[in-house]
């Protein structure tokens, strides 16, 4: 089991600045809940792979990959924090071991159902607390919380942890995902309160002015 970075601290010490503790597990997402069709479902790793090819897994194929448990909190950019989530799934860094990236890969784009996307630095994907979760608190994820597969990046705001994950794209240059194109911070570090693009500093995002900047 790998505990989250704040799992041993008291509640007050694990709530990032500007966040408020909420009980339970609020449901929050953009768009409808997709229907899982196992015969059509796959997870793709593509883009700047070392081989130049694309790899695909069915849902059953994922069972053969290493699995771990991570205990971590969830932080929404709008303010709510819920604590003590027990996730079970595949360490995201496993993808880089199985399908190595090409030299020069610095970022990834996580793709989900309906074209939702979230960009991450490679170091965010390879964090020991980042995983592709299939279970929560010992039970399979519910559809509303991302079944069959959800990316969990607990040190970043929740829009970087897309539900209904379908693909990982290796990238040699950064580009903004769905919410990042709509005014949210490109990095989204919860402890630095990186919520909105107008807060971005030099080097925080791709070249060019951030969305909503003046």
């Amino acid at each position: 089991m790998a505990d989250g970075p704040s799992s041993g601290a008291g509640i007050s010490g694990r709530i990032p600045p500007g966040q408020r503790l909420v009980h339970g597990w609020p449901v929050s997402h953009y768009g409808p809940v997709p229907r899982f069709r196992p015969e059509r479902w796959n997870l793709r790793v593509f883009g700047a792979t070392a081989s130049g090819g694309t790899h695909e897994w069915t849902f059953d194929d994922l069972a053969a990959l290493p699995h771990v448990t991570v205990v971590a909190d969830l932080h929404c950019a709008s303010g709510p924090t819920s604590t003590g989530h027990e996730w079970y799934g595949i360490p995201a860094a496993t993808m880089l071991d199985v399908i190595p990236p090409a030299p020069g890969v610095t970022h990834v784009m996580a793709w989900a159902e309906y074209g939702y996307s979230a960009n991450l630095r490679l170091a965010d994907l390879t964090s020991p607390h980042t995983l592709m979760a299939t279970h929560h608190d010992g039970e399979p994820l519910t559809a509303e919380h991302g079944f069959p597969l959800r990316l969990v990046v607990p040190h970043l705001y929740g829009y970087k942890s897309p539900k209904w994950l379908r693909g990982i794209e290796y990238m040699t240059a950064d580009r903004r995902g769905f919410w990042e194109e709509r005014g949210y911070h490109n990095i989204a570090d919860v402890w630095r309160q990186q919520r909105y693009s107008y807060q971005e500093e030099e080097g925080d995002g791709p070249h060019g002015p951030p969305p909503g900047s003046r």
Side-chain angles (χ1 to χ4, degrees):
M1 176 183 292
D3 290 338
S6 60
S7 60
I11 290 295
S12 62
R14 65 200 284 179
I15 306 301
Q19 297 295 110
R20 64 185 184 278
L21 179 66
V22 296
H23 298 288
W25 189 11
V27 175
S28 177
H29 56 259
Y30 181 86
V33 175
R35 178 183 174 187
F36 176 53
R37 295 177 172 86
E39 71 281 0
R40 300 182 185 178
W41 191 95
N42 61 17
L43 176 72
R44 300 173 64 234
V45 176
F46 63 103
T49 62
S51 68
T54 296
H55 192 92
E56 296 184 0
W57 288 269
T58 67
F59 185 66
D60 290 341
D61 291 337
L62 297 180
L65 296 175
H67 285 64
V68 299
T69 298
V70 170
V71 179
D73 304 336
L74 281 180
H75 312 285
C76 180
S78 63
T81 284
S82 54
T83 59
H85 296 272
E86 183 181 288
W87 306 98
Y88 177 76
I90 303 156
T94 298
M95 293 295 101
L96 280 75
D97 296 333
V98 177
I99 307 297
V105 167
T106 57
H107 293 76
V108 300
M109 189 72 77
W111 290 97
E113 297 283 2
Y114 305 129
Y116 182 90
S117 59
N119 59 313
L120 299 164
R121 298 168 297 184
L122 198 61
D124 295 318
L125 187 75
T126 59
S127 164
H129 302 108
T130 299
L131 79 165
M132 298 181 295
T134 58
H135 289 68
H136 176 268
D137 286 350
E139 299 290 338
L141 289 169
T142 63
E144 293 78 8
H145 285 299
F147 181 83
L149 196 65
R150 174 181 183 153
L151 186 65
V152 178
V153 190
H155 62 285
L156 304 181
Y157 286 117
Y159 61 91
K160 295 289 191 177
S161 295
K163 304 174 183 180
W164 313 302
L165 184 69
R166 293 297 303 273
I168 300 291
E169 177 187 0
Y170 294 163
M171 304 191 299
T172 56
D174 194 13
R175 70 177 191 270
R176 296 179 189 272
F178 181 88
W179 285 116
E180 296 82 5
E181 288 183 333
R182 290 161 174 79
Y184 280 79
H185 201 285
N186 195 59
I187 295 177
D189 187 306
V190 300
W191 293 99
R192 296 177 64 190
Q193 300 193 72
Q194 294 176 329
R195 290 180 169 86
Y196 304 112
S197 60
Y198 70 80
Q199 299 171 301
E200 290 177 14
E201 300 177 356
E202 185 75 23
D204 283 346
H207 295 300
S213 62
R214 297 179 180 178

